Amino acid sequence: SVEALAVGKDGTLFSGSCDKTIKVWSGTDGSVLQTLHGHSDRVLSLAVVPDGLLLSGCDSEMRVWCREQGWKSKVVAHGGSNVLAIAVGKDGQMYSSSRNDVLF
């Protein structure tokens, strides 16, 4: 099942799921463009950064995905609790995540 949704400036839709994947959907015809793998558990949160980056969170980590690099990802935060929400500042340069009542 789908746990998280985000929409890019170009209308691209991103969905995070219990199957540990993120799907990239076409905003024009609704087709799946790509399936991203890398999380160790269900994807609980997503946020789009204006410069082509996607942030995602799961049970213990937050990843940054780069569109320009073919959606390669790297872990930017790792800990023992769920990444329940991710927010991006208006300038696109800062983000925060919440983990079970803690804001980062």
Side-chain angles (χ1 to χ4, degrees):
S1 67
V2 173
E3 296 280 334
L5 292 172
V7 180
K9 281 175 61 172
D10 63 355
T12 302
L13 180 67
F14 302 91
S15 64
S17 301
C18 288
D19 66 359
K20 307 174 191 174
T21 67
I22 298 168
K23 290 201 181 339
V24 183
W25 303 81
S26 167
T28 55
D29 66 11
S31 63
V32 176
L33 302 174
Q34 194 164 359
T35 301
L36 309 180
H37 300 271
H39 278 292
S40 59
D41 205 341
R42 62 191 176 149
V43 179
L44 298 172
S45 53
L46 294 169
V48 178
V49 181
D51 59 2
L53 298 177
L54 175 69
L55 303 173
S56 62
C58 76
D59 66 334
S60 64
E61 67 186 21
M62 186 163 57
R63 288 183 173 268
V64 174
W65 302 80
C66 183
R67 176 178 253 165
E68 291 179 1
Q69 295 178 0
W71 291 115
K72 289 187 179 179
S73 72
K74 68 177 181 176
V75 175
V76 294
H78 188 74
S81 58
N82 296 337
V83 180
L84 301 173
I86 302 171
V88 178
K90 287 183 181 182
D91 60 2
Q93 297 301 310
M94 63 180 241
Y95 61 87
S96 62
S97 67
S98 66
R99 294 184 178 183
N100 295 342
D101 299 330
V102 178
L103 185 64
F104 293 92

